[in-house]
Amino acid sequence: MTNEGLIFNRLWDIYSTQNPMTMQVYNLFTDEGERVINDHIAFRTFQHPLIGIDALAKPFLEAGYGYADEYQFQEKKLLAKHYEHKSNPEAPRVFISELLVNEFSPYLQEVVKNWIAAIPEAIVGSDRILYSGNLSGVPSFETYKRLRAESEYAAWLYVNGFRANHFTVSVNHLKIYDTLYKVNDFLKKNGFLLNDAGGEIQGTPEQLLEQSSIKAGMVRFYFEEGYFEIPGCYYEFAMRYPDQGGKIYSGFISKSADKIFESTNFYKK
């Protein structure tokens, strides 16, 4: 098995185990005879030399990936880059975003500084960081709530840590559910909540990319104050269209991704 294959298998095992609803979605499609191909996988981190985008991208670059593009999210104060495998077109894209910590309050900056300082030195620079979860000790629910007031992204990362934030089903490879409208209808009929921030479908065929996602399932975490449920990870769905030259669009749209980020926003069931 290739290096990237080993990485993705490990990430999927952790992602689907911690978030059982993702496996339920996967099984829904495979039970219908669909072949589920991963369009891309996404990660979140804080902007910092030790754990920023470039640090998390290193294992993928070593496994044959190359930089493809960069994206800005001014409202959420994020930067993102995406990577594609240089020789294997079947390999999923990798999307890594980071929170621009210095643009937030001194309180958030201090929390992040302490969070990073607690990460074991042996993990930094290793591909193990990609699936190591929260390395900074038992989180505080009060801190989580204060972070949420500034950034849902920061609060999610503070608790969930390093893991695949989401996998993405390539609708282009589905046979029965070959449009996002069919996919979304199928999911809703089976009881899944869609992220409807800005509409259930982000993007248009004219923009060459349509995306939708389910809301992250609520996961029970242990905090200093006891057990609480907060959003874990989610599943996304992407439909890509050919440009005028007939080439399938391979990038991302910042405006659409901005709303997809909200799949992990806190909500009450």
Side-chain angles (χ1 to χ4, degrees):
M1 185 178 288
T2 61
N3 287 341
E4 76 270 13
L6 291 171
I7 292 172
F8 288 124
N9 283 350
R10 180 72 184 275
L11 289 165
W12 172 261
D13 287 344
I14 296 171
Y15 165 85
S16 57
T17 300
Q18 187 212 28
N19 303 273
M21 65 184 298
T22 61
M23 198 57 165
Q24 293 168 16
V25 170
Y26 180 89
N27 289 337
L28 272 179
F29 286 98
T30 56
D31 287 348
E32 294 281 312
E34 294 283 19
R35 179 169 172 248
V36 177
I37 299 297
N38 189 26
D39 177 88
H40 69 271
I41 185 172
F43 300 89
R44 295 180 177 185
T45 191
F46 294 116
Q47 187 176 66
H48 187 279
L50 293 177
I51 63 162
I53 291 175
D54 293 342
L56 264 61
K58 185 180 176 182
F60 295 104
L61 297 177
E62 292 174 349
Y65 276 76
Y67 166 82
D69 210 346
E70 181 174 308
Y71 311 88
Q72 303 275 349
F73 302 91
Q74 293 184 353
E75 184 179 334
K76 289 183 172 60
K77 301 175 184 177
L78 300 169
L79 174 69
K81 296 178 183 179
H82 105 259
Y83 304 81
E84 298 179 15
H85 201 279
K86 295 177 182 178
S87 61
N88 181 8
E90 292 283 312
R93 300 161 188 83
V94 172
F95 185 94
I96 308 174
S97 59
E98 63 183 16
L99 191 76
L100 306 179
V101 179
N102 290 339
E103 296 187 18
F104 288 87
S105 71
Y107 172 79
L108 185 147
Q109 292 184 45
E110 186 66 19
V111 169
V112 172
K113 178 183 176 182
N114 294 333
W115 191 88
I116 295 172
I119 299 174
E121 189 174 333
I123 297 292
V124 176
S126 163
D127 61 1
R128 288 183 292 162
I129 198 169
L130 294 171
Y131 35 75
S132 55
N134 179 6
L135 295 164
S136 302
V138 179
S140 159
F141 193 67
E142 286 303 313
T143 300
Y144 168 77
K145 289 194 294 184
R146 286 191 64 178
L147 291 176
R148 275 192 61 223
E150 287 195 62
S151 167
E152 290 273 2
Y153 183 110
W156 184 92
L157 183 55
Y158 166 71
V159 177
N160 283 273
F162 300 105
R163 64 182 67 250
N165 172 259
H166 65 269
F167 278 72
T168 308
V169 174
S170 170
V171 180
N172 296 70
H173 289 85
L174 300 180
K175 303 300 182 184
I176 302 170
Y177 303 98
D178 56 356
T179 70
L180 270 184
Y181 293 98
K182 292 180 182 178
V183 166
N184 288 352
D185 186 57
F186 181 54
L187 292 167
K188 288 187 288 187
K189 284 181 177 177
N190 281 278
F192 291 95
L193 295 174
L194 293 182
N195 170 16
D196 58 1
E200 291 182 354
I201 294 179
Q202 302 299 320
T204 65
E206 290 73 27
Q207 293 174 303
L208 307 182
L209 175 62
E210 290 180 308
Q211 296 166 274
S212 69
S213 59
I214 58 172
K215 288 183 181 243
M218 301 298 280
V219 177
R220 195 167 182 252
F221 284 94
Y222 180 68
F223 291 85
E224 291 176 352
E225 300 88 340
Y227 284 98
F228 294 90
E229 285 192 341
I230 70 164
C233 304
Y234 65 95
Y235 224 146
E236 185 183 326
F237 309 86
M239 180 74 182
R240 298 180 179 275
Y241 294 88
D243 59 21
Q244 291 183 342
K247 184 179 179 181
I248 294 292
Y249 179 68
S250 193
F252 296 87
I253 301 169
S254 293
K255 184 178 179 181
S256 298
D258 184 85
K259 297 302 181 185
I260 296 292
F261 276 121
E262 297 181 20
S263 300
T264 57
N265 282 11
F266 185 87
Y267 66 95
K268 292 188 177 182
K269 295 186 290 185

